[in-house]
Amino acid sequence: MIRLSLALPLAAALAAVPATAQISDAPTGTSKPQPVPVGEPIPEARDIPFAGTIRLAVDATDVAHAIFRVSETIPVTPGKLTLLYPKYLPGNHSPSGPINKMAGLVITAGGKPLAWRRDPVDVTAFHLDVPQGVSSLDVAFQFLSPTAGAQGRIQMTDAMLSLEWNELLLYPAGWFVRNMMVDASATYPDGWTSYTALRPSGVATAKGGLVHYAPVALDTLIDSPTIAGAYARAEEMAPGVTLDILADRPDQLAAKPDQLKLLRTMTQQAIKLFGAQHYNHYDFLFTLSDTLGGAGLEHHRSSEDGVPAAFFTGWDANVAGRNVLAHEFTHSWDGKFRRPADLWTPDYARPMGDSLLWVYEGQTQFWGNVLDARSGVAPKEDALDALAGLAATYANQAGRQWRSVEDTTNDPTIAKRAPAPWPNWQRSEDYYREGQLTWLDADSLIREKTGGRRSLDDFARAFFGTHDRDWGELTYTFDDVVATLNAVLPYDWATFLRTRIYDVAPRPPLDWLARGGYRLVYTDVPGRWWTSDEKKRKAMDLSYSLGIVVDKTGTVTRVAWDSPAFKAGFAIGTKLVALDGRAYSDDDLKTAITAAKGGNRPIQLLVRQADIYRTVGVSWNGGLRYPHLERTGKEPGTLDALLAPRE
């Protein structure tokens, strides 16, 4: 409110302003601030030796609170110093270092605290001034790992833990991380067995308590996570390759001999495929748990492979969940040894480029599934059904109309794997699975044009199988991929790849089907792989009939763009309440879809969206539809040859 004594003079002043001035609208007004500097300089990494060794000790015994306690001693020289928390992490494809879970940071020199300043732009950087006469800093903090699933992946339970070194240290900016040595140790709960690609200093194995590891370069340490648990078992898969198993309960460790034989065969088929090994030893860090967060993450000499607790005890029903081991093992060659040039970085602060993930992940997806088929981990019938599901996904994906596969390599940074409202239209990280389709096309083309004498196996050996026992990194570009393909089969591979990966292409790359001697068909009976995948996801998948996926509570978790359900107004989160006046059930919905086949009566559903209830009619008369591959001829085709084991 304006007091009367002020209102009259103000009114008179406004009346004196010319009319043109009152209605004039300057583009940005007359007050024009200038930007001020934000943040402090962060030294670029240099390929020079780092003086001294970082000492790192982690206390991982507080499983009740899921807290890792870190003590670190870092050699320094007086002057300005920036300490970095790893931000861009190999295999994550985005700036995903969990800085939000770091707490209690205290930095001291000679027992006296030093003030630190977090950079306001790069919040994973900490600036401080090192006083004269100080040669080392002591750093202490806690990593507060998630205590509930909504906070992130569970890393500690009462039976096991997953220790990620990248979460548990700071390192000085200004050096290539391969030039910085770290002397690391960890203390695990008493009686627990720990596994890692690192080797303990002075002893071959460790059973609880303090484990002191042999000093390694910082990049090797971060690439060598550890698992530890109360119930453990280790099995040799091949010379120098070990399956390290932890479980929630002892009975879940009961892998049968024939199951282990299949996994050994998969390992051996991979070694035969690539013809070289890029590790001095390799550990599958295999956790069977319904409480520890599942993970599939590649490392050079190990992989983190988290699966449900019933992996072995529920083997027959879990065919769709067996691929993690083959996929992550393949990454030792594809992604760790051979790495896209823009994805290799000298430290964990420089942004990683994802432009060639359709090779890094797409060909790994391809070989992971092929190795499962060749070894019998996925029997051929199931492998074919898995490929049918893959083909159907992209034959029915609306987002192909506007977005290229290459653009989806930006998705780890764009979306950070957050849930999407319309994934069928938005697309996600399709460089994995549609990348796989492109490599299926490439393999079938090579086999066809060479009369079966050459295949993508020859590319794998030439591209990934060089430098036996070298576990450094050999980078590549698009042109390197094209050149190696041309060495296998002279062809216009640059155009082949660009039209499938870089161009917007409404038609998916499915030429491998006809060349391979198969066609995609739909029937009203799901295959074993489909049923297993539904069980793994705890959902009913009606993607190719109504266009929805429904979870065990009757809530829609996925809606295909322009599908019958989409046209009826469904969205993710829609709750199916009743069907034709009766309480909703999955079986009743399948029965209704079958009954509506060939007719013109919509399927009547009562649904709830937020607090709104409404009755909708879904117009669909095509019945239940599940994808399968059907052979088109009597003779084996190129696809059969691809899936056949190597002698």
Side-chain angles (χ1 to χ4, degrees), residues 397-399 419-428 430 557-561 572:
Q397 190 195 62
W422 301 104
N424 180 264
W425 177 245
Q426 293 168 270
R427 308 197 80 182
S428 182
D430 287 338
T557 59
R558 197 174 182 96
V559 181
W561 191 264
I572 289 176

Side-chain angles (χ1 to χ4, degrees), residues 624-645:
L624 293 168
R625 297 175 81 236
Y626 300 100
H628 302 274
L629 295 189
E630 182 177 83
R631 189 182 292 279
T632 56
K634 294 182 180 179
E635 299 298 322
T638 61
L639 185 56
D640 299 300
L642 172 65
L643 301 181

Side-chain angles (χ1 to χ4, degrees), residues 90-91 162-166 194-199 219-227 240-244 277-286 295-306 324-337 339 360 364 471:
S162 170
L163 185 154
E164 310 285 349
W165 297 104
N166 60 273
S194 61
Y195 298 113
T196 175
L198 301 174
R199 289 300 180 252
D219 61 339
T220 299
L221 178 73
I222 284 184
D223 197 40
S224 306
T226 296
I227 58 172
V241 181
T242 307
L243 183 68
D244 306 323
Q277 295 169 79
H278 300 300
Y279 45 78
N280 53 355
H281 54 263
Y282 189 94
D283 288 76
F284 290 102
L285 305 178
F286 197 36
L297 187 60
E298 64 271 17
H299 303 283
H300 216 137
R301 299 183 300 157
S302 64
S303 56
E304 296 174 83
D305 310 295
V324 63
L325 293 171
H327 181 100
E328 302 305 342
F329 191 39
T330 298
H331 268 313
S332 181
W333 291 268
D334 181 3
K336 302 307 293 186
F337 172 62
R339 194 172 304 183
Y360 180 122
T364 295
W471 42 286

